[in-house]
Amino acid sequence: LWRFGYSARLLKTNHFRTAASNTSFPAVWMLLAQYSGRIPGLFAVVKKSTFSTMPETLEDKADPELYSPHPRVRGMTLLDREAFKRTVVVPALKVRKEIVNSLLKSLKQSVLRRPGLKRVVEDPEDEDSRLVILDPHKMPEFSLGEGEQQVLKQLSVPPEVSRYNLELSYENFRLEEILRAVLPEGQEVTSGFSRVGHIAHLNLRDHQLPYRHLIGQVIIDKNPGITCVVNKTNIIDSTYRNFEMEVLAGENNLVTKVKENNVAYELDFSKVYWNPRLSTEHGRIVELLQPGDVLFDVCAGVGPFAIPAAKKRCRVFANDLNPESYHWLLHNCKINKVDTKVKAFNMDGRDFLRGPVREELSKELPLLREEQKTAFHVVMNLPALAVEFLDVFRHLLAGEPCGTAGLPTVHCYGFSKHENPAKDIQERAEASLGTSLDGRCSTYQVRNVAPNKEMLCITFQIPADVLFKRPCPDGEKPASKRLCTSQDFSEE
């Protein structure tokens, strides 16, 4: 009986009679009871109907598992879509077809809303009527509330609610519902993922690994545009910030296209670092820049800071140690038509700061006047290490400072597991710089990376006594003609 079409599933009165003429349970109801874990309750219909009706002596309450897949899918590791089929009983109203739209508008909170399911179906015995399927969770006893009854009265619709046998298939269940039904009971179900173009990136837990290929296929089925699902197999490499991954389902194509903050990028996700969760942070930093400013991007990746800054008419110096990131950085600068505005480098971050950055600052800063508005920004987005190599700014430049206006502003990222992350990252930055940042820095919480692990950005203007080596005051020049340290300057 469960395999008949929609018309056949409207069980007729020769199978189920009204309460007055039927006092026993048909076998089909007993079968449904086995699947639901209890005999479905009953609802009285006051007049003879073409829908299934039951004796008034039992109470009906909505099954909380009404929309769960069939129990036989539990423990499945190889996806079998046919196994998800099941039939459930839902309430329905018989309505004249000319008032269906009016009824749907008035009862929009009560009608059935499930992916791939029609809310209105044909009445096989009356071409002038339609069957409006209601949500049983909104009607726990298959009975209309006072508001619904008033709507039906106004539209001259009989208030009798009948039972409709509704067949559900794999297509009708949501991603979370499928995974919850498949994985062992009581275990965490992770349905979230990062999307990078056509790629879905997962971080599966150990207990989910036996089901990883099924999980990957379900994600492809339930998310249009996703054609490849990968799972990270180890932690991010601290040198190049990429990670090994396993393709769980779909095509083995990891070169993808993404769009972030109205800028297009292309990249090989298996060889470079890209995190869509940083989109807001990229936009936040670029928003701080003004046309004509200079940006030094120490760990530029494929360009999410550098390219929007160049499009904003900033001068950009972008660097990354990973040769693959450098390749895609050049490529993305070209496709975004900013290749003439970005000077790209493939160097170690320290070498980049001590080379091109020092050279540019040494040339530009002495020429600045107080009234000029050019600002210099240094972005150091390598959260695992960047705070520790802030010491590279100690005495990076020689000579006299040109005033506080031209001192570069640093945006440095770091991770913290401390109970006070902002205090922790400031103290670590101060230790690397060799000076206090009290009153002259700000911290911004970027995102929660893991339980008790935060990613933060500390922003500060490099103090002059840190950045510059200044000649010793007259009368104190030693025979060695040494340059004063920051301690010498601070004591002056």
Side-chain angles (χ1 to χ4, degrees), residues 31 68 100 245 282 344 492:
L31 180 61
S68 295
V100 166
M245 60 184 69
H282 296 152
E492 184 178 86

Side-chain angles (χ1 to χ4, degrees), residues 128-139:
D128 294 325
S129 297
R130 295 293 182 266
L131 307 178
V132 176
I133 311 303
L134 304 178
D135 187 344
H137 290 105
K138 305 294 178 61
M139 312 179 86

Side-chain angles (χ1 to χ4, degrees), residues 348-381:
D348 176 80
R350 285 180 178 271
D351 294 339
F352 174 65
L353 289 165
R354 289 171 176 158
V357 174
R358 174 161 55 187
E359 180 182 344
E360 188 67 19
L361 290 175
S362 297
K363 181 176 65 177
E364 293 287 336
L365 290 182
L367 302 178
L368 286 181
R369 302 185 184 91
E370 285 295 329
E371 64 271 15
Q372 288 184 320
K373 296 182 179 180
T374 300
F376 298 87
H377 292 262
V378 182
V379 173
M380 303 171 70
N381 185 19

Side-chain angles (χ1 to χ4, degrees), residues 11 17-18 41 104 176 179 310 330 332-333 421 434 489:
L11 301 181
R17 300 192 181 279
T18 60
L104 290 176
E176 297 82 357
L179 299 187
L330 293 175
N332 288 319
C333 286
F489 178 65

